[in-house]
Amino acid sequence: MRGLPGLIMAALAVGAPMQFKHLSSTTGELPKPDLGRQVAALIADLDGDGVNDYVIASYEKMAWFQHTPNGWTPHLIEGGDPSVRMEAGGDTLDISGDGRPDIVMGAQSERGEIWWWENPGPGHPPDQPWQRHLALAVGGTHHDQIVGDFDGDGKPELAFWYNAGKQLYLARIPADPTGPWPHKLIAQLDPNGANPEGLAKIDLDGDGRLEIVGAGHWFKHLEGDRFEDHVIDPDYRFSRSAAGDLIRGGWAEVVINSGDGVGPLNLYQWDGAAWRKQTLIDRVDHGHTLQVADLDGEGNLDIYAAEMHTPGPGAACRQWILWGDGQGGFCTELLSTGIGSHESKVGDLNGDGRLDILQKDFQQDRRVDIWLNQGRP
């Protein structure tokens, strides 16, 4: 569907539409997650076979789904320890240094734990959880974490929100990652504003170093543990963030979606003096999915966005791809209606070189759907 009301459209030279093969846990084409309310999803090659696998986490449990020639096979990561309650977010990184991606997740708790799970490698029994390590505990609930070299020292760090405190932290991974991770408060937002959510990473200003983007702000490293806080949109803190060179030339652009609420899908372009806002979709009801990626492989970045079911617009919930032209124009395609999306992700899920969609809902159906990118006919 194209030309929906409230969408910024462009006169793009669009050929045949992209085709997707839809697989679902509701039809038996994918294994049922059976984890509970699904708070997080990740895509990574966890078994080192060259093809990505995917991870689904609930508040209590987490599993990875191994890609095989015959589909996906579930393996337990976290089995429901009552002392562990996970929150939305998470990332993957080789923390142990053995060449295999490990998993880091934050807590929904008063103590504010960040844990990481050590990838055991081949031969681990699929019904046995991975070894879990406590990295740190600070503040309270941590909704959103992201890994990157944010201080330019050549080593990855972990950035994460303490949401209720309106605080952004940076943790460094020690030589022995099973011990406590040193962490510093790097930004304190106005305590009278909404809780911050959403994190993305990109070299925003073109200086060759990664910046942290989130909650309507961006954070530039100065030196040591010092970061400078810059505002993009002060009224859009409780939101989801993505970034990319969507308009070629100059700074990269920032995209913000409505997250746990109702609001527009906006693109922000730096004009040299201020951030210029372009509304792409007027109203997104609980838009807790947002990524920027070149889904059609044509060299221009596209935007993937979607709405939750409950909370959200229920059976009217939508999933979109906004096909970019590299100049700020978008041709918007409605990919599905009625399948909830919460923290859905983009990645190559079958090793064919094309980016696919891992769609995960939160609590309504507790389902997983995969949209395999078939390219253009």
Side-chain angles (χ1 to χ4, degrees):
M1 181 182 297
R2 302 186 187 273
L4 294 173
L7 303 183
I8 299 295
M9 303 296 294
L12 303 181
V14 178
M18 296 289 291
Q19 295 185 338
F20 291 87
K21 181 179 180 181
H22 181 203
L23 308 174
S24 178
S25 63
T26 65
T27 60
E29 296 160 307
L30 301 175
K32 291 183 178 180
D34 290 333
L35 298 170
R37 289 183 293 176
Q38 302 173 154
V39 297
L42 300 168
I43 296 175
D45 180 9
L46 296 178
D47 59 2
D49 68 349
V51 181
N52 282 325
D53 313 293
Y54 66 90
V55 175
I56 304 294
S58 71
Y59 289 130
E60 300 86 9
K61 300 178 182 180
M62 180 162 53
W64 70 283
F65 296 79
Q66 182 183 28
H67 180 271
T68 75
N70 299 315
W72 286 267
T73 300
H75 298 256
L76 193 63
I77 297 175
E78 177 59 54
D81 186 321
S83 68
V84 175
R85 185 171 174 84
M86 291 170 280
E87 183 51 285
D91 209 341
T92 61
L93 174 71
D94 179 11
I95 296 170
S96 63
D98 61 5
R100 294 187 290 266
D102 307 301
I103 295 171
V104 61
M105 296 284 291
Q108 184 187 88
S109 73
E110 294 182 359
R111 188 180 175 209
E113 300 95 337
I114 301 279
W115 301 282
W116 68 277
W117 284 261
E118 188 170 356
N119 188 334
H124 188 75
D127 60 347
Q128 296 297 312
W130 292 8
Q131 184 174 4
R132 173 178 16 94
H133 303 277
L134 176 64
L136 60 92
V138 62
T141 293
H142 302 303
H143 187 299
D144 301 313
Q145 307 85 39
I146 195 167
V147 170
D149 179 10
F150 300 118
D151 62 4
D153 67 352
K155 302 175 183 178
E157 295 86 40
L158 176 72
F160 62 94
W161 289 115
Y162 165 34
N163 310 91
K166 285 79 170 178
Q167 295 173 334
L168 182 65
Y169 281 85
L170 191 77
R172 292 183 169 87
I173 304 170
D176 177 7
T178 64
W181 292 16
H183 51 280
K184 294 285 186 178
L185 175 66
I186 61 171
Q188 172 69 68
L189 303 190
D190 180 356
N192 297 315
N195 284 358
E197 286 191 2
L199 286 172
K201 60 184 177 184
I202 193 168
D203 177 7
L204 194 62
D205 57 6
D207 69 349
R209 294 191 175 190
L210 285 177
E211 277 81 46
I212 303 169
V213 178
H217 292 241
W218 68 282
F219 306 91
K220 182 175 181 62
H221 180 252
L222 300 178
E223 61 180 5
D225 296 320
R226 293 181 58 223
F227 284 74
E228 192 171 60
D229 178 1
H230 299 266
V231 177
I232 300 171
D233 187 337
D235 299 322
Y236 221 178
R237 278 173 41 168
F238 195 49
S239 57
R240 311 309 294 160
S241 298
D245 190 14
L246 289 148
I247 302 173
R248 294 187 176 214
W251 286 33
E253 284 68 49
V254 174
V255 186
I256 302 181
N257 205 3
S258 61
D260 293 296
V262 179
L265 175 67
N266 291 334
L267 181 145
Y268 299 82
Q269 180 185 16
W270 180 251
D271 66 5
W275 289 96
R276 181 166 58 85
K277 180 172 69 175
Q278 177 184 358
T279 295
L280 305 178
I281 302 178
D282 289 334
R283 186 180 192 275
V284 181
D285 191 339
H286 284 77
H288 210 291
T289 287
L290 180 65
Q291 283 203 270
V292 167
D294 182 7
L295 279 156
D296 56 11
E298 295 181 346
N300 298 316
L301 291 177
D302 312 302
I303 300 170
Y304 169 56
E307 298 173 309
M308 293 171 61
H309 185 290
T310 303
C317 62
R318 297 163 293 177
Q319 177 182 215
W320 301 277
I321 300 174
L322 288 77
W323 304 105
D325 67 356
Q327 302 174 50
F330 297 91
C331 187
T332 303
E333 180 173 353
L334 181 63
L335 186 60
S336 69
T337 301
I339 305 173
S341 293
H342 175 275
E343 288 294 281
S344 299
K345 296 293 175 65
V346 170
D348 182 2
L349 289 164
N350 59 2
D352 67 358
R354 292 187 289 260
L355 294 179
D356 310 302
I357 294 171
L358 173 66
Q359 187 180 19
K360 171 198 74 65
D361 77 350
F362 171 42
Q363 65 182 0
Q364 180 64 26
D365 298 310
R366 304 181 186 185
R367 61 188 285 173
V368 171
D369 294 77
I370 287 178
W371 301 76
L372 293 175
N373 188 339
Q374 307 294 290
R376 302 193 191 278

